[in-house]
């Protein structure tokens, strides 16, 4: 089990870095993500290549978010499918909110302090230079501590939408409800012989939403951890087959969020079958990448190497705070460098130096905030069990 956790953490770490790169782009070089609908700054065809070809995988943030969701569906249910103990699901469900909330609350409070200090003005000024992006309306609110607390504890998890104290928190509602979805499905259907009928029904129901990713992750957890003989046919060690699935998954995952042109590599995918192609294709691509990783010892070794594992360890923290740093420090540095350097050099130096702040800050956030959230969620569950069962202590010990 430890090996699986290690390489899955590695994948999560790479995905978190990918989201960060996308947000560097949307702030400083938006055409890298959104293509010709926004001004080009770097010259040549670089931005066009990134926004219309698989090179865009370098900053394919939405695809990486879909990988997060598939990973959640898998990780949250894999232990249950391995040992078939309902208490695993109940424990995970009861602890989930607190585990997610503590780091979110800390990140929102950090954002409140930055907003109160007026440091997000650098982002607004940068939008005037970069000609803006789909994020141009951010950081224009008046800081209010009670509103910040409400957004951290309630809006982020139960209402969704624009969480303006930290825009990346739009995923938290999906993460929380998606977690509850797979917990519920595993508890209700996980032990049934015909459970795959329910998986298929859920996949059809959520075909055009991010919740499809959680269903796929749970189905993969069942496939690779269940001892049901018929499921063994879905496992393969054939390197050619896995290579084809991996390349296909990466191509589908690189489906651009910029408008497609008639000569686009992706036009054949734009067939009207899905209501939101970029969502469904990115989820399918994420599922294919995950399937390949679960079957490939070679890929598992790559993602179990020290750098991906470290990034995986700090991935949740990095995800929560990177956009705050970009919107303050990175943009401030860019505004200093832009008048004296070329646009490309200013972007490159600003992003490079920002990493020297984001990575250590993410590690500290992980060590003192994220881990506190994990421990507090365990304490909450243990006390809840102890208060409702006379033999709760023995149950927890087991």
């Amino acid at each position: 089990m430890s090996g699986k956790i290690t390489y899955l953490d590695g994948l999560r770490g790479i995905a978190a870095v990918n989201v960060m790169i996308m947000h560097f782009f949307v702030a400083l070089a938006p055409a890298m993500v959104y293509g010709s609908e926004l001004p080009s700054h770097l010259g040549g065809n670089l931005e066009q290549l990134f926004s219309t070809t698989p090179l865009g995988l370098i900053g394919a943030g939405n695809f990486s978010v879909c990988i997060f969701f598939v990973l959640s569906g898998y990780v949250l249910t894999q232990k249950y499918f391995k040992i078939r103990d309902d208490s695993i699901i109940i424990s995970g469900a009861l602890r989930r909110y607190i585990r997610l909330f503590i780091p979110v609350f800390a990140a929102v409070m950090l954002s409140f302090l930055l907003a109160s200090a007026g440091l997000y003005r650098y982002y607004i000024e940068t939008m005037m230079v970069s000609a803006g992006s789909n994020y141009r309306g951010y950081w224009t609110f008046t800081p209010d501590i009670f509103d910040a607390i409400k957004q951290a504890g309630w809006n982020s998890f139960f209402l969704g939408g624009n969480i303006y104290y930290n825009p990346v928190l739009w995923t938290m509602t999906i993460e929380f409800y998606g977690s509850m979805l797979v917990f519920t499905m595993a508890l209700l259907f996980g032990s049934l012989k015909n459970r795959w009928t329910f998986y298929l029904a859920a996949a059809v129901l959520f075909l055009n939403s991010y919740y499809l990713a959680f269903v796929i992750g749970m189905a993969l957890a069942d496939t690779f951890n269940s001892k049901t003989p018929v499921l063994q046919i879905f496992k393969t060690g054939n390197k050619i087959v896995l290579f084809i699935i991996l390349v296909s998954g990466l191509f589908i995952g690189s489906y651009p969020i910029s408008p497609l042109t008639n000569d686009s590599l992706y036009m054949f995918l734009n067939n009207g079958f899905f209501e939101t192609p970029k969502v469904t294709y990115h989820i399918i691509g994420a599922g294919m990448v995950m399937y390949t990783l679960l079957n490939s010892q070679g890929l598992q070794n790559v993602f179990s190497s020290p750098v991906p594992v470290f990034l995986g360890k700090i991935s949740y923290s990095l995800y929560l705070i990177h956009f705050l740093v970009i919107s303050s420090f990175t943009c401030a540095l860019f505004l200093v460098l832009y008048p004296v350097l070329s646009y490309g050099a200013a972007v490159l130096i600003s992003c490079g130096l920002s990493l020297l702040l984001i990575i250590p800050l993410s590690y500290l956030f992980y060590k003192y905030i994220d881990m506190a959230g994990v421990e507090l969620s365990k304490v909450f569950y243990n006390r809840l069990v102890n208060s409702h069962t006379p033999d709760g202590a023995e149950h927890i010990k087991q």
Side-chain angles (χ1 to χ4, degrees):
M1 185 181 297
S2 60
K4 290 185 178 181
I5 295 297
T6 299
Y7 64 72
L8 294 182
D9 278 351
L11 176 61
R12 185 182 291 108
I14 298 302
V17 170
N18 198 261
V19 172
M20 177 181 64
I21 292 173
M22 176 189 173
H23 287 145
F24 278 131
F25 287 160
V26 298
L28 303 176
M32 297 281 276
V33 178
Y34 299 107
S36 58
E37 67 177 359
L38 291 173
S40 175
H41 296 288
L42 302 181
N45 296 320
L46 180 62
E47 288 151 303
Q48 183 71 11
L49 285 172
F50 265 78
S51 62
T52 60
T53 72
L55 283 177
L57 283 170
I58 295 175
N62 192 68
F63 175 49
S64 292
V65 165
C66 292
I67 290 177
F68 289 152
F69 292 155
V70 172
L71 277 167
S72 289
Y74 183 93
V75 171
L76 293 175
T77 59
Q78 61 124 3
K79 189 176 180 181
Y80 166 78
F81 286 116
K82 190 178 286 287
I83 63 177
R84 302 288 176 173
D85 183 354
D86 288 352
S87 67
I88 294 171
I89 297 299
I90 296 171
S91 170
L94 291 175
R95 292 188 289 114
R96 192 61 173 162
Y97 174 78
I98 293 178
R99 189 270 172 271
L100 294 173
F101 164 72
I102 299 299
V104 166
F105 179 79
V108 170
M109 290 303 103
L110 174 61
S111 180
F112 170 77
L113 293 176
L114 293 173
S116 299
L119 296 180
Y120 290 142
R121 71 178 185 272
Y122 299 117
Y123 179 91
I124 297 172
E125 293 174 17
T126 298
M127 290 299 98
M128 299 176 66
V129 177
S130 67
S133 70
N134 286 13
Y135 291 65
R136 65 173 61 90
Y138 291 141
W139 311 126
T140 58
F141 60 90
T142 301
D144 179 272
I145 185 62
F146 297 106
D147 187 38
I149 294 173
K150 179 184 176 183
Q151 286 206 24
W154 181 257
N155 295 29
S156 296
F157 295 99
F158 302 106
L159 297 183
N162 179 19
I163 311 300
Y164 46 83
Y165 276 93
N166 194 346
V168 304
L169 293 180
W170 70 269
T171 62
M172 283 299 107
T173 310
I174 301 171
E175 176 65 36
F176 182 71
Y177 286 137
S179 300
M180 295 304 111
L181 171 66
V182 295
F183 284 143
T184 302
M185 290 186 64
L187 199 60
L188 293 178
F189 313 124
S191 60
L192 301 179
K193 290 184 178 181
N194 63 339
R195 62 188 179 275
W196 284 84
T197 303
F198 295 98
Y199 298 171
L200 180 60
V204 172
L205 178 63
F206 297 113
L207 188 63
N208 293 292
S209 80
Y210 286 104
Y211 296 110
L212 173 64
F214 291 88
V215 176
I216 291 175
M218 183 186 64
L220 289 172
D222 193 345
T223 300
F224 285 88
N225 295 279
S226 175
K227 298 177 182 178
T228 306
V230 70
L231 295 179
Q232 305 308 308
I233 64 174
F234 295 105
K235 301 178 183 179
T236 179
N238 189 305
K239 293 183 179 180
I240 296 177
V241 172
L242 292 177
F243 177 78
I244 293 173
I245 294 174
L246 177 62
V247 171
S248 300
L250 291 174
F251 178 79
I252 294 172
S254 70
Y255 185 92
I257 60 177
S258 61
L260 296 183
T261 58
N262 291 331
D263 59 346
S264 171
L265 294 171
Y266 305 90
M267 275 306 294
F268 75 96
L269 294 174
N270 193 26
N271 47 33
F273 186 74
F274 301 121
E275 292 179 11
T276 50
K278 73 174 183 179
V279 171
T280 307
Y281 283 132
H282 289 173
I283 291 171
I284 294 172
M288 295 170 75
V289 169
M290 183 72 168
Y291 174 82
T292 307
L293 178 59
L294 292 170
N295 277 290
S296 173
Q297 184 63 50
L299 279 180
Q300 291 172 14
N301 292 337
V302 171
F303 284 99
S304 295
S305 56
V307 172
V309 169
F310 171 76
L311 293 173
K313 187 179 295 186
I314 66 171
S315 59
Y316 189 35
S317 301
L318 188 151
Y319 180 78
L320 290 176
I321 67 173
H322 76 273
F323 195 63
L324 309 183
V325 177
I326 291 173
S327 299
S328 52
F329 176 81
T330 306
C331 288
L333 184 58
F334 170 78
L335 291 172
V336 171
L337 296 175
Y338 171 63
V340 296
L341 299 174
S342 68
Y343 194 97
V347 169
L348 189 62
I349 295 174
S350 299
C351 295
L353 293 179
S354 295
L355 291 177
L356 300 180
L357 176 60
I358 293 174
I359 299 300
L361 186 58
S362 297
Y363 176 74
L364 293 174
F365 196 93
Y366 154 77
K367 185 175 181 179
Y368 295 106
I369 305 296
D370 190 20
M371 293 309 297
V374 173
E375 293 304 316
L376 284 173
S377 71
K378 293 178 180 178
V379 170
F380 168 77
Y381 176 70
N382 289 345
R383 289 185 176 180
L384 189 66
V385 171
N386 276 323
S387 65
H388 285 82
T389 59
D391 59 341
E394 181 64 26
H395 173 78
I396 294 168
K397 180 179 178 182
Q398 292 174 357

